[in-house]
């Protein structure tokens, strides 16, 4: 270990408990919660194994009127819930870490979809995300009841082994609604002055502390940036709140005001971007403080601790990307850290699909159900099997890396371009997407360390060269490219005149439309269309970003980027047209129709089409079309992975490469296989 | 029974099975699927009890690459799934009905969020709802495997007792993708001619029939309207498909092309609107046919059967609204039928919250978890308790109805207006929303039949009148109204100059802006803003519908109305402005800002504000503020229900009234109570 990093491994006392070091996985959603208890336990347990001294759950609703179904949360409404969560605490304890639980009530932001109870809130003010529906104003009975619910949940959590009990006071939920002048318009003792608006939070903490404070550390999560989410709370008031609750709190977990900024993506926020705000909490308390900032650099972490601003290094995303980050720092294996890219695919997949995943760590969420460990691999039954991976993009790199770590004698990865990386090579050169390049960098370094993996660059293979290569198994990972004919998903209409337009690859290879006005037409809805628009705008083009979808880049909404992305492009002067379908490019304009079927057109000097990708799978087709030649050449297996099979989110390409490498002994490792599922028993 | 309806109760042979009558609950989603097996079983079982001769499940994915998580479906991947689904079949059999299961593969529309497998599809064409992600083209191995998956799933279903096994061939999923020239661009034996494009479906049916056809009826769901969803299939081709698969099918379940039209809401589609298309299937087959059309009128049903077009009356929504519809027809109790309103709140809640519900039937989805029966009620412990319900809107009517049916000696419901109905009285007068009035009509008739319920109209009660009324229990159901000051959800900004604008209630009471251009400003996002815009436009106003939300009426998207609603308003000439926040009305314009913070304004002659509702709970506040007076007057309990507690979706107001009436013996029937939950055991 670098001695400068020793400070990160000091134990820290929080209330009655001692954290073994300063690495702390703050509460964050996973999609597992109380519904997939074993999946959840394994997902948290691996972080404790990797060296995180404190590991927390998802948010934990304390009662049915904070019901988060359909979302998934760590419900702690009754003893059965507690039993399920006990598995999580146990999995954390096995490795000597402390287990934390974040008790939660959503107030006017609760879903209550399954419970069907009215939401409750300090006052009858609608929630930000709950359209067409208003909460019930909390009565005095509600206040007492919800405080009892917090206490009962805290007792349950303590009884199944949790060491740290949170009262969740950030991100716009009930505690924040109570604090805010905007949402709290009460005229009783819980409204008006800050002291009154803080009363509910103080009393809840006090009661929870009274119930379990001898056994558990009492933590609060609180937000300290000015007015990001709730107009009615300013920064100085939040510091005053810290002073008010200080006597009943053992640990302050601090972040900035709201979701899009907290968990900000690398596109718009650098490592530690929250520090100017969060570091000021030290002015108000001498108690331990934990804060986040997508920290992956141990020098930065040590500097933050030495500054005295934080006592613990909080992490959600960096701990998903590398559960063994603390161990690697402790052992001085810094170049082995899988650094979080800040792409927020974890959040996108957790929000959209209720199953967390990671572009850097394919094993995230697979620890229980597929039995995958992020640092351990099964040795092959037959190490002598020679494997050729054709294509060095994310899927191919990951596949070769896992095959190499599994211990096959000879794994060759052959890439046509002079560098590894596939389409991420040009993606990282798009404005704001530089950190996505960490997916490449990590694997280039890791592959170079494996003596049994040979990386061959600048060689574009033909089918006959592959047949002659001497491999037993061939993995085709040749990626995908954007179609130049304007074929669009679902409709699959071609665009007349598409040949005059550019594709993203051609733009990134240096081609440009004539100076003037460019239409970027996007039917994909993620980062490429927006990236083209920004790139060309920064070069001085007038840019119209037109999309067939209802919003610009809707996929970015689930990664918490959408609002920032649209504002950012708007501020740069990019114009938008949504819900338009382009049929033709001719006579200096694009022509098509609106979502209502009306004619639509836009004058332009050039067009970039971001419509549909197609798999570059010609090599695979050629190989499998001739089984006789395959048999003759000794190739027993030809596999197709990543975007060459199906262009998808980059996390899924990495996952695909990883999965096939783990399963390569199977006859057909691309066919769906069962996994361990969790469901009610009958 | 009316003898004209006797035809509906004839048995029908389908393959090796006999349906006891012609009432048939077609497959439809519930939010329960394989995840809440007991909830699911009770939800389907009650329909069998109510007289439906055939009752089907949700769609049932046959393999992990048709994984529908986060949505909920009746997965039938393995024997544990089958065991859970066996509960559903058992619950249906108890009442002598046949149980059906709809085997499903989504192809390019599968979510695969949990499985993380690439979607498969006939060709690499993106799905309509799956942005930023493309499927893998199915290999010949995939075709064989998926057919094996269908067969294995059919065997499992047969083994746990299902009588009818579907191969799902409608709604744009894998079978449809194979049929469509747009999405099937294959050059092998599964692409090209109709015969080729139908091959996958034919072979799958044939193999399923071979496996279970002796024990089960083989059904296909197929869509027959022209080009609604998939450009590449026309009506004549669909009829030809029916002819092709006829030899291997026992039951044709037919509907129109795609989702928004199938399950069309009453706003835009009348009862039986599909008949012009679906009735043509008879040209192509002599096998039994079932079709839907939101049929609630037994005369229409009998006429459809007599026409020979359908053999069975299919229903999803009408069977949710009234599980006992067949029994009521059989017993001639036609005026007791709870007719489906076609509001699609069932779908909205199933889609949004993964738990079906119904504006007409509060017990839907509550049969297991809360133990509610749609036609049976617990007798009260103390029938002599006198109950006064103040307010005759949806919540108050439902509450009085359930209290009356429970058998309390004296239930009085007092309404200030001359008619029952609350805000639905004017909602039903909005363009296209007439059928929502069925919520009122059903309850007016039902209340009139209860000798123990007195309905008092045109009496606006004061608190002192309530105290003097002689009631033990007072239920306040006084509803809510739109705020005139422009207070907006979440922000709670008032609008300067709001006093010059109209509210929806004032418009419905007959007030109008000056002729010319009207801005309807909607921050609610459901039917009221759109309704105001349509009403005024039909009267000749120029209308701009401005909303702070990202789309016009986003809540309507979940009820499958959004696209129709926006097109309909657009066709009428209503203009839209989305993502704008209004701060001020002055000098003949509304002023505010765009989602990007730029200044925005619109010239207008008048404004209607559809911003936020507030509960009309003054009576409740006055009563509970004086416990001494309550005690002195003998009032033991004052309850607040429906929109008077929290303005929500109308289905939730009905639910609230129902729940409080079932639970009125509890000290505080408004507090959250546990229900029977289903989760993995530890």
């Amino acid at each position: 270990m670098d001695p400068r990093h020793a400070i990160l491994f000091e134990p820290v006392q929080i209330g009655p408990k001692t954290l073994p070091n300063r690495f702390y996985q703050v509460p964050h959603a996973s999609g597992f919660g109380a519904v997939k208890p074993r999946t959840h336990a394994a997902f948290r347990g691996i972080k404790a194994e990797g060296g995180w001294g404190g590991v927390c759950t998802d948010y934990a609703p304390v009662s049915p009127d904070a019901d988060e179904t359909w979302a998934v949360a760590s419900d702690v409404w009754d003893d059965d819930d507690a039993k399920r969560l006990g598995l999580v605490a146990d999995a954390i304890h096995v490795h000597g870490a402390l287990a934390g639980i974040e008790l939660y009530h959503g107030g006017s932001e609760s879903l209550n979809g399954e419970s069907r109870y009215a939401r409750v809130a300090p006052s009858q003010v609608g929630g930000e995300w709950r359209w067409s529906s208003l909460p019930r104003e909390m009565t005095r009975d509600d206040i007492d009841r919800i405080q009892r619910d917090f206490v009962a949940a805290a007792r349950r959590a303590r009884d199944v082994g949790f060491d740290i009990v949170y009262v969740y006071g950030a991100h716009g939920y009930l505690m924040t609604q109570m604090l805010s002048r905007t949402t709290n318009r009460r005229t009783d003792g819980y409204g008006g002055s800050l002291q009154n608006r803080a009363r509910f939070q103080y009393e809840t903490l006090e009661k929870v502390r009274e119930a379990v404070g001898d056994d558990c550390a009492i933590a609060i999560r609180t937000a300290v940036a000015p007015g990001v989410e709730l107009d009615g709370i300013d920064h100085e008031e939040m510091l005053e709140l810290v002073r008010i609750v200080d006597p009943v709190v053992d640990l302050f977990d601090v972040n900035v005001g709201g979701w899009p900024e907290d968990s900000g993506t690398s596109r718009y926020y650098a490592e530690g971007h929250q520090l100017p705000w969060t570091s000021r909490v030290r002015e108000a308390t001498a108690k331990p403080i934990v804060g986040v900032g997508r920290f992956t650099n141990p020098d930065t972490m040590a500097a933050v601790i030495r500054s005295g601003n934080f006592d613990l290094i909080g992490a959600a995303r960096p701990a998903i990307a590398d559960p063994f980050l603390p161990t690697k720092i402790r052992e001085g294996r810094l170049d082995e850290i899988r650094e979080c890219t800040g792409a927020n695919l974890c959040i996108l997949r957790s929000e959209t699909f209720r199953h967390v995943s990671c572009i850097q760590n394919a094993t995230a969420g697979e620890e229980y159900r597929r039995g995958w460990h992020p640092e351990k691999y099964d040795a092959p039954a037959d190490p002598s099997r020679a494997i050729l991976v054709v294509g060095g993009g994310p899927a191919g790199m990951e596949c070769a890396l896992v095959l190499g770590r599994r211990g096959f004698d000879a794994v060759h990865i052959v890439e046509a371009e002079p560098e590894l990386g596939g389409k991420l090579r040009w993606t990282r050169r798009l404005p704001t997407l530089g950190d996505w390049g960490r997916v490449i960098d990590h694997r280039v370094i890791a592959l170079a360390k494996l003596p049994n993996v040979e990386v061959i660059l600048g060689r574009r293979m033909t089918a006959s060269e592959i047949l002659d290569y001497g491999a037993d198994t061939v993995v085709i990972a040749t990626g995908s490219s954007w179609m130049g004919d304007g074929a669009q998903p679902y409709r699959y209409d071609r665009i007349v005149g598409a040949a005059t337009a550019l594709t993203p690859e051609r733009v990134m290879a240096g081609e440009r439309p004539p100076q003037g006005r460019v239409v970027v037409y996007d039917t994909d809805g993620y980062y490429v269309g927006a990236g083209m628009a920004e790139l060309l705008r920064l070069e001085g083009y007038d840019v119209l970003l037109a999309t067939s979808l209802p919003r610009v880049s809707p996929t970015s909404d689930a990664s918490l980027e959408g609002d920032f992305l649209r504002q950012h492009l708007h501020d740069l002067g990019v114009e938008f047209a949504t819900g338009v379908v382009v049929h033709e490019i001719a006579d200096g304009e694009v022509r098509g129709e609106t979502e209502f079927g009306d004619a639509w057109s836009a004058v332009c000097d050039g067009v970039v089409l971001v419509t549909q990708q197609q798999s570059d799978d010609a090599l695979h087709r050629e190989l499998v079309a001739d089984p006789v030649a395959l048999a003759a050449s000794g190739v027993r297996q030809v596999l197709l992975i990543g975007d060459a099979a199906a262009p998808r989110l980059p996390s899924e390409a990495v996952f695909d490469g990883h999965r096939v490498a783990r399963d390569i002994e199977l006859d057909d490792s691309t066919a769906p296989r069962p996994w361990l599922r969790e469901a009610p028993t009958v």
Side-chain angles (χ1 to χ4, degrees), chain A:
Chain A
M1 175 169 54
D2 188 320
R4 290 176 308 165
H5 303 154
I7 194 172
L8 299 171
F9 295 91
E10 296 169 346
V12 179
Q13 191 71 21
I14 50 169
K17 295 284 179 175
T18 307
L19 284 159
N21 61 40
R22 297 185 188 272
F23 293 94
Y24 187 89
Q25 184 242 283
V26 297
H28 72 82
S30 64
F32 308 143
V35 175
K36 298 184 193 165
R38 294 171 184 83
T39 308
H40 193 179
F43 175 68
R44 304 294 178 186
I46 201 73
K47 291 173 177 57
E49 183 183 341
W52 298 84
V55 179
C56 301
T57 62
D58 305 58
Y59 62 141
V62 296
S63 69
D65 64 353
D67 163 34
E68 287 296 287
T69 322
W70 47 263
V72 174
S74 290
D75 293 331
V76 56
W77 303 348
D78 60 30
D79 292 346
D80 280 344
D81 284 331
K83 254 189 245 172
R84 284 185 282 273
L85 288 169
L87 294 187
V88 181
D90 292 349
I92 294 166
H93 287 157
V94 165
H95 303 286
L98 298 188
I101 186 168
E102 183 182 48
L103 303 184
Y104 159 90
H105 199 295
S108 65
E109 303 290 1
S110 296
L111 284 166
N112 288 11
E114 182 171 307
S115 76
R116 304 185 71 176
Y117 288 108
R119 295 167 191 130
V120 293
S123 305
Q124 197 168 65
V125 178
E128 183 176 9
W129 309 302
R130 307 276 86 87
W131 304 326
S132 315
S133 199
L134 293 170
R136 178 164 67 78
E137 182 183 302
M138 288 162 78
T139 61
R140 179 62 219 223
D141 284 348
D142 289 316
I143 288 175
D144 293 343
R145 174 183 57 79
I146 291 171
Q147 290 181 338
R148 284 197 306 274
D149 290 341
F150 269 94
V151 168
R155 286 210 175 95
R156 274 181 218 117
R158 187 260 323 267
D159 292 349
V160 298
F162 283 95
D163 309 288
I164 307 163
V165 172
Y166 275 74
V167 171
Y168 192 0
H171 292 129
Y173 301 121
L174 180 57
M175 298 285 165
T176 319
Q177 291 156 28
M178 275 286 189
L179 271 179
S180 161
R181 279 194 207 89
T182 301
T183 48
N184 181 345
R185 311 178 78 83
R186 301 180 72 90
T187 54
D188 64 2
Y190 293 90
S193 68
L194 176 65
Q195 200 71 35
N196 278 0
R197 285 179 279 126
R199 189 178 311 279
F200 181 70
Q201 195 156 350
Y202 181 85
E203 287 177 353
T204 308
L205 282 159
E206 191 179 37
K207 289 174 181 178
V208 166
R209 186 185 193 78
E210 201 174 314
V212 305
D214 291 343
D215 307 312
C216 301
I218 308 301
I220 184 173
R221 203 174 205 181
T222 189
V224 291
V228 173
E229 189 169 12
L230 291 161
D231 302 328
I233 318 176
D234 67 26
H235 194 51
E236 297 308 320
E237 278 194 334
M238 291 304 295
L239 294 183
E240 187 56 30
L241 172 79
V242 171
R243 290 188 190 97
I244 290 172
V245 300
D246 188 63
V248 287
V249 166
D250 299 317
L251 174 65
F252 284 90
D253 182 339
V254 297
N255 53 33
V256 293
W259 276 127
E261 189 171 350
D262 188 23
S263 303
T265 58
S266 58
R267 296 189 79 142
Y268 306 113
Y269 291 102
E271 184 180 19
H273 77 273
Q274 303 179 328
L275 281 170
W277 304 111
T278 51
S279 64
R280 287 200 54 207
V281 176
R282 180 56 78 220
E283 298 170 20
T285 181
K287 296 276 176 70
I289 299 173
V290 59
V292 293
R294 199 163 50 80
F295 298 113
T296 56
N297 182 330
D299 295 340
T300 308
M301 297 179 198
V304 167
I305 300 297
R306 265 190 283 272
S307 73
N309 290 323
F310 291 171
D311 301 278
L312 308 173
I313 296 298
R317 293 171 293 168
I320 300 171
D322 198 339
F324 280 70
L325 188 147
T327 299
K328 290 174 182 174
I329 295 173
R330 198 183 63 229
E331 297 176 356
R333 299 188 282 131
L334 302 189
D335 64 350
E336 293 182 31
I337 295 171
R338 274 192 303 270
E339 287 187 287
C340 172
T341 65
N344 278 14
L345 284 154
C346 46
I347 296 169
L348 187 156
R349 282 196 40 93
S350 167
E351 287 284 309
T352 311
F353 298 115
R354 318 261 79 97
H355 194 103
V356 80
S357 69
C358 179
I359 188 172
Q360 280 282 53
N361 174 15
T363 70
E366 309 295 339
E367 300 86 358
Y368 168 75
R369 66 175 196 164
R370 285 191 166 97
W372 291 357
H373 188 286
E375 304 291 326
K376 294 179 188 166
Y377 302 88
D378 291 339
D382 173 13
S384 72
R385 186 168 174 175
I387 305 176
L388 169 63
V389 178
V390 182
M397 286 191 293
E398 179 74 5
C399 190
L401 186 58
V402 173
L403 291 168
R405 287 180 169 161
R406 289 192 58 197
F408 283 95
D409 295 341
V411 177
H412 286 210
I413 174 168
V414 182
E415 164 60 42
E417 300 295 325
E419 286 179 320
L420 292 175
K423 66 164 69 84
L424 280 180
R425 286 175 63 229
W426 59 260
T427 299
R428 74 186 304 174
R429 290 192 288 116
L430 287 170
T432 75
L433 287 174
D435 276 2
W436 288 31
R438 291 176 172 184
V439 173
I440 305 178
D441 299 341
H442 172 74
R443 285 164 183 77
V444 167
I445 294 168
L447 285 167
K449 290 187 177 184
L450 290 169
N452 53 337
V453 177
E454 188 167 343
V455 179
I456 298 156
L457 300 173
R459 178 164 174 199
R460 188 174 297 278
M461 299 195 85
T462 64
S464 68
E465 286 171 333
I466 291 170
L467 290 173
D468 294 343
Y469 202 83
D472 302 302
T473 292
V474 176
V475 181
I476 302 293
T478 40
S480 61
S481 51
W482 291 89
M483 295 173 78
D485 60 2
Q488 300 173 49
Y490 172 55
R491 290 180 186 80
Y492 216 71
D493 303 330
R494 265 64 176 183
I495 292 174
V496 177
T500 64
L502 293 174
T503 59
E505 285 93 348
R506 286 172 59 188
V507 171
M508 295 314 290
E511 288 188 72
R512 288 293 178 275
Q515 270 304 334
R517 182 172 167 81
V518 177
V519 170
V520 176
Y521 178 56
D522 179 20
T523 62
D524 170 69
Y526 193 24
Y527 63 89
V528 178
M532 289 292 118
E534 181 167 358
L535 178 77
L536 294 171
R537 180 66 195 141
L538 291 174
E539 291 181 1
Y541 287 89
D542 287 332
V543 177
L544 172 67
L545 177 52
T547 177
S548 59
L549 301 170
R551 307 196 74 174
V552 165
S553 194
T555 298
S556 300
D557 286 331
S559 59
L560 304 182
E561 291 168 311
D563 289 341
F564 286 107
L565 179 147
R566 289 181 288 266
Q567 182 79 52
H568 180 70
L569 293 180
H570 173 81
D571 292 346
L572 290 174
V574 174
E575 292 171 69
F576 300 147
T578 59
V580 297
V581 174
V582 170
H583 297 309
E584 185 178 15
I585 305 169
D587 312 322
E589 60 179 26
V590 293
R591 294 175 193 147
E593 59 187 309
T594 70
E595 62 186 308
F596 302 122
D598 300 332
W600 175 87
S601 66
V603 173
C604 59
D605 302 295
V607 177
V608 179
L609 292 176
V610 186
T611 50
Q612 178 171 306
Q613 296 182 71
Q614 63 187 349
S615 292
D616 293 330
D617 58 0
L619 264 184
H620 182 259
R621 286 177 191 271
E622 193 177 344
L623 288 169
V624 298
D626 192 348
V628 176
L630 284 175
S633 67
V635 175
R636 290 187 297 168
Q637 193 179 26
V638 182
L639 300 166
L640 182 68
I641 66 170
D643 286 4
R648 295 188 285 159
L649 298 176
S651 58
E652 302 315 287
V654 172
F655 171 80
D656 213 26
H658 192 102
R659 182 172 63 83
V660 166
R662 294 251 187 194
D663 290 349
I664 205 152
E665 279 88 353
L666 299 174
D667 268 355
D668 181 4
S669 59
T670 60
R673 297 180 59 218
W675 58 85
L676 294 178
R677 290 160 71 204
E678 300 187 77
T681 43
V682 171

